[in-house]
Amino acid sequence: MGLIDKGRMPAPLTKLFNISRSYSLWVYQWGLACCAIEMGAAFASPRYDVMRLGVIPLPASPRQADFVCVSGTVTDKMAPAVKRLWEQMPEPKYAISMGSCANCGGPYWDSYSVTKGIDQIIPIDVYVPGCPPRPEALLEGIVLLQQRIKNEDMQAKWQGDPFTTLQATRAAERGELSAGDSTGETTHDISTDPQPIPERNRPEPIVVGGGPIE
Amino acid sequence: MAPLSDTDTTSGESDAPQALPGDGLREGIIDDLRQRIGDALIETHIVPNDDLTVRVSNESWAATGAALKAAGFTFFSWLSGIDWMPSPYGTGEEDPTAERDAIDMTIKQGVCGGDTRMQVLARLTDLNRHVGITLKADVDDENPVIDSWTGSFAGANWHERECHEMFGIGFNNHPDLRNMYLPGDFEGYPLRKDFPLLARMVKPWPGIVDVEPMPVQEEEDES
Amino acid sequence: MTMMSDRQQLSYIASQAADARLNVELETEGMTLNIGPQHPATHGTLRIIARLDGEQVIWAEPVAGYMHRGYEKLTEVRTFPQVTTLINRIDWLGSFANEVPFILAAEKLMEIEAPPRAQVIRTILFELSRIANVSLFLGDLGVQMGAVTPVFLAFRDREYVLNLIEGATGGRFHPNFDRIGGLKDDLPKGWIDETKQVMKKLIGFCDENENLLFGNEIFQSRMRGIGVIPADIAKEYGLSGANLRASGVDYDLRRDQDIALSYDLADWKVWTHPDGDSWARCWIRLQETRESCKIVLQLLDQIPAGPIMTKVPRIIKVPEGEAYVSTENPLGEMGYYVASKGGLGPFRVKIRSASFSNMSITPWVLKGVYVPDIVTILASLYFILGDIDR
């Protein structure tokens, strides 16, 4: 993707990439507890059928996945495994946290062995609250994630710059916005740079159903 | 000699006829066990037609398991422990920052009594007679150790590992007393009453009293 | 009940011989195979470490604890009505069934009993959660063998049952419907007729599954004679439920204990199988799903009129005492040993969960099997991680 590295990513191409990315999402199922069954219902059941949204729930390994759906209670014993899984996934990658346990500990908020919130370990893009959430809620979370992907500025994301939408970057280029620090001045040459791609600045997470996560 | 059955604690039941078939069954079990292990049987408690609890001495724990297995209790249901000390942290429902009344720390053992803070519990079932028995044994406060049951019941292996991890009770002759649940760097024995739940130490529990009205009570209130 | 069938005996001898052979043959450098903690074949987050000699397992050990949430400690800091919310989530496929033994234990300590109507509705919901649980097992079984269709069928038909549970309780997954002294609400209008139709559908699902899966030659050859557990070993390890009955032990807590549930109103059968192999365990579960449908169909016509809640104080305090109540849950014997000191919450709750005991036999049963059989044996033992680790 030389165009991206040189900071000359044409907008129509970005749009095309974004659309194709958002409708061929491979999801790695990190099913842990009760929510895993509802996730299974959303992904495998004929009634909910996630594939109609362009999400393929059957990658063989996290290395082939675009986003991970962490559903269920994350215990302190499991947390290192979740972290390792996340590190194995290639960028661009997203994470959905499904269920109250993964969001904040849920009914086990006072337990001695439960990690209170998966966001302490990996950055989360979409929170789906519920105990467990209905499959419809998970589908809504996926649709919201797709909308975000469609509006993403791939170039900024690739370079590890703060998250901006495509529209914002173009507006900055035209001089309509002042905060245009993502126009490609600091080109990040991955072929020579030994540094890993920095963890991108995550945007504000989406919460299905709105409202803050407590 | 201890009394055959101590029905005094269930005062309401003591008026019931004593010759119920279930009673006879359970008293027969106790007689049989007394013949097998002798004075190691410390105390018994029968809930007529329902349940049977027996307390034996620490030294005879393994022998009791073997004796009951020979007596027909071949189904190993579970094994665990109990810490009879009242929790020094209360029930965790009070505001942790507020002043708290002194908690009565007297240790009071339950059915069949006991002399120590912690006890080991186990349950066996006779699948032919459809009768279960709960066993108890004291473990020493300073050095909580008891014999393992893995010789009689192979399934006790995991239960004893769990009990060891949760209560810190040691089991003699256990083949492999590793931790089972918690990560390696975990400290403390969670099910002991003096193990604090840190989340409750810093944040008050919002649902202090369950205020959801019961359906029947609603009707009463309306009328 | 220590009699072994011919098939059991043969397989047992074969596994013993495999054991002996391993000791005699030249020791080769073994290989250690790690499955999990996240693996499709482990239904969750069980990790299995197997040491192999070629294709044969010489030592296997499940590593539990990835789902340990500390239920027994948390129950000590909850009130009695709050505990049901928590314990719902132990066996998450058959949630309602988790509540019943705890509520029965609390009722026993309080010396009250639910009214007859509540008892019958409890039994119906108990069986519905068994159907919801085991139907997913029957679908998942196919996936373990590489057949994907059964899981779609299972999810399709399980949704109908979940709809019923949701219709009656308001909760699709975790109903939290059982109360000390009765139930939260009465059944909604039209629920009984709908349930009857769904039960007929579910019996159809069982027939379909039997034709599709159990009649399949590959399925049979991968299941028959694999993972044999003799009856006395099963009892020693505390196997319960279908796993115990598949070893020829005729014991079912629904029938064999005097408990405040209405199983005696229905005419049904406890299935046993003499073989004790993987196939027998799966077959028993299939038959039990059918029986459950029959129990529900019969009980639906016998729901008595009356209140659904007995008189209980507004703030529940359970008197001092100890009680152990166990019921025949979808996975096996699930029991609660409740010790109360007269407070708002329990002093100690020991949760006897079926999967914990069912899985404790894996080091024994996996010894000497071949690697592909690990998956089928684990599938047939049927466990739920929350039920192992609690």
Side-chain angles (χ1 to χ4, degrees):
Chain A
M1 278 299 171
L3 283 173
I4 298 177
D5 296 339
K6 293 190 182 89
R8 278 179 296 162
M9 185 76 174
L13 199 55
T14 307
K15 218 161 207 168
L16 183 68
F17 277 151
N18 280 349
I19 287 173
S20 41
R21 275 199 307 139
S22 60
Y23 291 123
S24 67
L25 283 172
W26 288 64
V27 47
Y28 191 69
Q29 310 177 24
W30 193 258
L32 295 169
C34 332
C35 296
I37 309 298
E38 287 294 63
M39 184 176 71
F43 287 172
S45 129
R47 187 181 287 191
Y48 301 105
D49 185 21
V50 81
M51 286 201 203
R52 72 200 152 95
L53 301 175
V55 175
I56 299 142
L58 306 161
S61 93
R63 286 153 213 262
Q64 299 168 0
D66 293 308
F67 81 88
V68 59
C69 183
V70 183
S71 53
T73 321
V74 184
T75 55
D76 290 347
K77 195 170 178 180
M78 184 51 109
V82 177
K83 174 91 180 151
R84 200 158 146 196
L85 153 102
W86 176 250
E87 283 163 355
Q88 285 180 30
M89 284 171 61
E91 285 275 0
K93 58 189 175 185
Y94 306 89
I96 291 185
S97 157
M98 179 186 184
S100 298
C101 297
N103 292 348
C104 61
Y108 314 102
W109 67 281
D110 49 354
S111 172
Y112 52 85
S113 58
V114 172
T115 309
K116 281 94 185 168
I118 182 75
D119 45 10
Q120 298 173 18
I121 308 166
I122 62 172
I124 295 294
D125 291 276
V126 182
Y127 292 96
V128 186
C131 191
R134 296 182 66 92
E136 290 96 328
L138 179 61
L139 297 188
E140 190 187 343
I142 291 173
V143 170
L144 290 171
L145 180 68
Q146 286 175 331
Q147 283 174 3
R148 167 167 286 186
I149 294 173
K150 265 191 263 180
N151 287 324
E152 237 170 12
D153 185 348
M154 243 174 115
Q155 184 182 315
K157 190 182 168 84
W158 189 259
Q159 290 162 355
D161 290 341
F163 170 85
T164 50
T165 61
L166 196 58
Q167 291 83 351
T169 314
R170 296 299 160 227
E173 275 176 358
R174 291 195 298 272
E176 292 168 13
L177 274 173
S178 56
D181 59 342
S182 55
T183 45
E185 293 296 316
T186 53
T187 314
H188 190 97
D189 187 0
I190 53 161
S191 58
T192 57
D193 195 343
Q195 295 294 318
I197 299 167
E199 185 74 26
R200 66 198 160 98
N201 250 341
R202 295 271 156 180
E204 274 292 296
I206 304 167
V207 179
V208 172
I213 289 271
E214 285 188 16
Chain B
M1 281 287 278
L4 264 185
S5 66
D6 179 16
T7 44
D8 286 344
T9 44
T10 54
S11 50
E13 304 274 358
S14 58
D15 298 336
Q18 293 297 310
L20 291 169
D23 258 351
L25 174 68
R26 287 177 174 81
E27 284 181 6
I29 290 165
I30 292 174
D31 285 342
D32 184 41
L33 185 63
R34 198 184 299 282
Q35 279 181 2
R36 286 173 197 265
I37 62 170
D39 286 343
L41 189 75
I42 296 171
E43 211 170 329
T44 60
H45 174 82
I46 296 180
V47 182
N49 281 322
D50 186 38
D51 212 351
L52 170 61
T53 310
V54 168
R55 184 159 75 90
V56 299
S57 68
N58 184 305
E59 298 75 37
S60 68
W61 181 247
T64 310
L68 280 169
K69 192 182 179 187
F73 287 86
T74 47
F75 182 79
F76 173 75
S77 189
W78 51 268
L79 185 146
S80 188
I82 188 164
D83 181 359
W84 287 109
M85 188 177 84
S87 168
Y89 308 103
T91 50
E93 294 179 350
E94 307 84 5
D95 186 354
T97 52
E99 281 286 314
R100 195 181 291 170
D101 298 339
I103 295 170
D104 182 16
M105 293 296 285
T106 3
I107 295 174
K108 187 166 172 268
Q109 285 83 0
V111 176
C112 285
D115 304 316
T116 54
R117 182 185 145 186
M118 283 194 284
Q119 284 183 329
V120 171
L121 309 174
R123 183 152 179 110
L124 297 172
T125 311
D126 185 332
L127 297 187
N128 295 326
R129 286 184 284 177
H130 306 155
V131 55
I133 180 169
T134 307
L135 294 147
K136 292 183 172 184
D138 293 350
V139 290
D140 190 52
D141 289 347
E142 300 299 319
N143 179 29
V145 170
I146 199 161
D147 288 338
S148 168
W149 264 15
T150 42
S152 323
F153 299 97
N157 186 330
W158 279 28
H159 291 260
E160 287 174 357
R161 276 172 68 187
E162 184 195 14
C163 186
H164 171 68
E165 185 173 11
M166 292 293 154
F167 289 96
I169 297 173
F171 288 90
N172 293 329
N173 306 326
H174 189 280
D176 182 19
L177 211 55
R178 274 177 300 136
N179 270 10
M180 148 154 249
Y181 289 139
L182 298 165
D185 52 352
F186 192 88
E187 281 177 15
Y189 301 109
L191 279 181
R192 285 194 183 180
K193 288 284 178 182
D194 48 9
F195 181 88
L197 288 172
L198 291 174
R200 278 186 180 264
M201 298 285 117
V202 292
K203 194 176 164 193
W205 165 239
I208 285 174
V209 180
D210 201 294
V211 288
E212 187 193 352
M214 293 290 168
V216 172
Q217 303 239 323
E218 270 181 328
E219 286 157 22
E220 279 174 6
D221 293 346
E222 283 161 15
S223 59
Chain C
M1 270 299 165
T2 48
M3 288 280 288
M4 284 165 89
S5 70
D6 289 349
R7 185 189 292 276
Q8 264 186 342
Q9 229 155 8
L10 276 177
S11 311
Y12 184 68
I13 291 166
S15 71
Q16 294 290 314
D19 226 19
R21 197 166 59 240
L22 283 169
N23 293 335
V24 172
E25 277 176 8
L26 271 180
E27 282 230 353
T28 50
E29 199 176 324
M31 179 188 146
T32 306
L33 179 70
N34 176 46
I35 309 175
Q38 223 282 347
H39 191 267
T42 60
H43 299 250
T45 53
L46 187 77
R47 180 175 164 204
I48 289 171
I49 299 168
R51 213 169 286 153
L52 308 178
D53 181 36
E55 188 76 344
Q56 207 158 23
V57 178
I58 50 174
W59 175 90
E61 173 80 35
V63 182
Y66 287 97
M67 201 34 62
H68 178 65
R69 307 190 268 196
Y71 280 107
E72 291 181 14
K73 184 74 179 177
L74 294 186
T75 52
E76 291 172 11
V77 288
R78 302 275 195 276
T79 63
F80 273 94
Q82 286 166 352
V83 169
T84 51
T85 319
L86 207 62
I87 58 178
N88 252 321
R89 287 152 176 82
I90 293 176
D91 159 18
W92 45 67
L93 285 176
S95 296
F96 185 81
N98 295 329
E99 303 170 12
V100 175
F102 178 77
I103 294 288
L104 290 177
E107 284 177 354
K108 194 192 242 185
L109 286 172
M110 292 178 75
E111 292 174 0
I112 53 172
E113 202 169 66
R117 184 178 175 84
Q119 286 187 14
V120 176
I121 297 175
R122 250 183 211 173
T123 316
I124 291 173
L125 287 170
F126 196 103
E127 288 307 308
L128 283 181
S129 57
R130 183 190 311 276
I131 296 166
N133 187 326
V134 182
S135 63
L136 193 59
F137 160 79
L138 293 171
D140 202 44
L141 199 57
V143 178
Q144 316 285 341
M145 314 283 140
V148 188
T149 322
V151 79
F152 292 123
L153 298 181
F155 268 118
R156 182 194 68 193
D157 289 332
R158 188 170 175 270
E159 287 291 331
Y160 299 120
V161 184
L162 291 183
N163 280 358
L164 289 178
I165 295 175
E166 189 179 5
T169 67
R172 176 184 145 87
F173 230 67
H174 298 311
N176 194 19
F177 192 62
D178 218 346
R179 296 286 188 270
I180 293 172
L183 293 166
K184 180 172 170 286
D185 275 321
D186 214 332
L187 292 176
K189 209 175 167 187
W191 192 83
I192 292 176
D193 289 337
E194 203 189 326
T195 311
K196 282 181 182 164
Q197 285 171 12
V198 170
M199 285 305 111
K200 280 169 195 145
K201 231 178 244 175
L202 260 292
I203 291 176
F205 163 73
C206 291
D207 297 342
E208 201 173 18
N209 208 304
E210 188 159 22
N211 291 335
L212 193 68
L213 207 58
F214 285 76
N216 187 310
E217 213 170 289
I218 302 170
F219 182 84
Q220 293 214 7
S221 60
R222 286 200 61 185
M223 289 295 213
R224 289 248 190 208
I226 305 288
V228 177
I229 302 173
D232 46 348
I233 300 275
K235 283 191 263 186
E236 215 174 272
Y237 275 93
L239 254 66
S240 50
N243 294 335
L244 186 64
R245 289 190 283 277
S247 293
V249 182
D250 189 12
Y251 185 66
D252 192 318
L253 284 165
R254 290 177 283 179
R255 183 197 62 189
D256 294 337
Q257 71 174 353
D258 186 19
I259 200 164
L261 292 172
S262 318
Y263 286 109
D264 45 349
L265 294 181
D267 178 27
W268 57 287
K269 180 176 160 65
V270 177
W271 288 88
T272 58
H273 200 287
D275 281 4
D277 54 5
S278 297
W279 197 85
R281 291 191 278 274
C282 301
W283 183 83
I284 294 275
R285 289 208 177 82
L286 178 78
Q287 302 302 333
E288 279 185 1
T289 318
R290 281 208 186 106
E291 290 299 323
S292 292
C293 295
K294 283 183 204 158
I295 294 174
V296 172
L297 280 174
Q298 291 174 48
L299 288 183
L300 284 171
D301 293 330
Q302 300 183 49
I303 303 177
I308 49 145
M309 192 76 189
T310 183
K311 268 184 199 288
V312 287
R314 182 175 286 265
I315 292 172
I316 290 174
K317 282 194 175 177
V318 175
E320 196 166 337
E322 291 161 50
Y324 176 72
V325 175
S326 59
T327 52
E328 186 75 27
N329 274 43
L331 295 159
E333 179 192 350
M334 180 168 207
Y336 293 84
Y337 173 84
V338 181
S340 174
K341 287 240 170 154
L344 291 173
F347 181 75
R348 161 120 171 88
V349 177
K350 158 69 193 168
I351 303 166
R352 193 269 186 218
S353 57
S355 296
F356 184 79
S357 296
N358 287 353
M359 282 314 282
S360 70
I361 202 171
T362 42
W364 185 88
V365 75
L366 289 182
K367 207 178 227 177
V369 304
Y370 291 96
V371 173
D373 295 336
I374 296 178
V375 175
T376 55
I377 290 171
L378 287 182
S380 72
L381 279 173
Y382 190 36
F383 54 91
I384 284 174
L385 250 292
D387 207 39
I388 299 178
D389 294 347
R390 303 188 295 273

